[in-house]
Amino acid sequence: MTTAQGYSAAGEETEKVPLPEALFAAEVHTHVLYEAVKSYLGNQRQGTHKTKNRHEVSGQKSKLYRQKGTGRARAGSATSGTRVGGGRIFGPRPRDYRTQPPARVRRMALCSALSDRAAGAQVRVVDDLKLEAPSTKSVAKLLAGMGLAAQRVLLVSSRDDSNLFLSCRNVQRLQLQRAQELNAYTVLRAETLVIEKSALQTLEEVFGR
């Protein structure tokens, strides 16, 4: 059985917590992870890059000088891509980099990423963090108590909690994400996953089918 170390909301160790086998003990498919990460990063690109071709740059469009008798190479337009100040040949044009792998592939990639982190003992389970008011100090103290102050941490929660969001946003190397929106890229980018107990149940309900 795959387990993870449990912690209280104060950062103190508790008993081991069993992890869902379907999510944290699956086979790691490296190529599927590659496809998922490539798709995620491609979807972040704006695709607004553009260079001017020979028809768009400013310059003389007519033939520079007569065809024969000058002793020089035959030159056409001054905006040719082979001349200084001319257009760019085969330069980048605006395009859409978005790709959408099938849902089955995305789920397989997420399970592979979670299983890889679980195999490396990089998963922690913590009691639900219920803050009365925003407190960055409380979250930083929790991570320090778990020995994760210097690591890149992904905190997975199952709810929209403004107090928790405001408490996490100023903590260095900490990212907060809802369990329903978890993806392979954010899991692989983090060194350690800290999952709330309610978020663990949500992950099993959403992705464990």
Side-chain angles (χ1 to χ4, degrees), residues 33-44 97-101 106:
L33 287 174
Y34 161 76
E35 291 292 343
V37 170
K38 182 178 71 171
S39 173
Y40 182 90
L41 294 177
N43 293 347
Q44 309 307 306
Y97 286 92
R98 291 191 61 83
T99 57
Q100 184 74 1
R106 298 197 303 271

Side-chain angles (χ1 to χ4, degrees), residues 43-174:
N43 293 347
Q44 309 307 306
R45 300 184 65 174
Q46 292 184 339
T48 55
H49 44 38
K50 182 182 181 299
T51 57
K52 292 183 178 181
N53 58 29
R54 64 184 300 169
H55 304 294
E56 297 169 326
V57 296
S58 177
Q60 181 178 338
K61 302 298 192 293
S62 61
K63 191 170 175 64
L64 292 177
Y65 43 80
R66 67 180 188 269
Q67 178 80 351
K68 306 178 75 67
T70 63
R72 293 181 292 182
R74 298 166 290 185
S77 170
T79 60
S80 170
T82 59
R83 302 186 68 85
V84 176
R88 176 76 177 271
I89 301 174
F90 300 128
R93 311 294 290 182
R95 56 165 293 192
D96 185 9
Y97 286 92
R98 291 191 61 83
T99 57
Q100 184 74 1
R104 180 172 176 269
V105 174
R106 298 197 303 271
R107 179 187 175 279
M108 185 183 300
L110 177 60
C111 293
S112 296
L114 292 174
S115 299
D116 178 74
R117 289 295 178 260
Q122 296 168 285
V123 179
R124 310 283 192 274
V125 179
V126 66
D127 293 341
D128 289 3
L129 305 178
K130 299 178 181 178
L131 303 175
E132 298 296 333
S135 176
T136 302
K137 182 178 180 180
S138 299
V139 176
K141 183 179 179 180
L142 169 65
L143 296 179
M146 299 171 67
L148 305 176
Q151 295 189 23
R152 186 182 295 113
V153 178
L154 175 63
L155 176 60
V156 183
S157 178
S158 63
R159 63 197 186 281
D160 289 321
D161 188 339
S162 60
N163 289 335
L164 183 59
F165 170 77
L166 295 173
S167 301
C168 293
R169 66 177 181 176
N170 285 333
V171 180
Q172 291 186 349
R173 295 178 293 275
L174 173 64

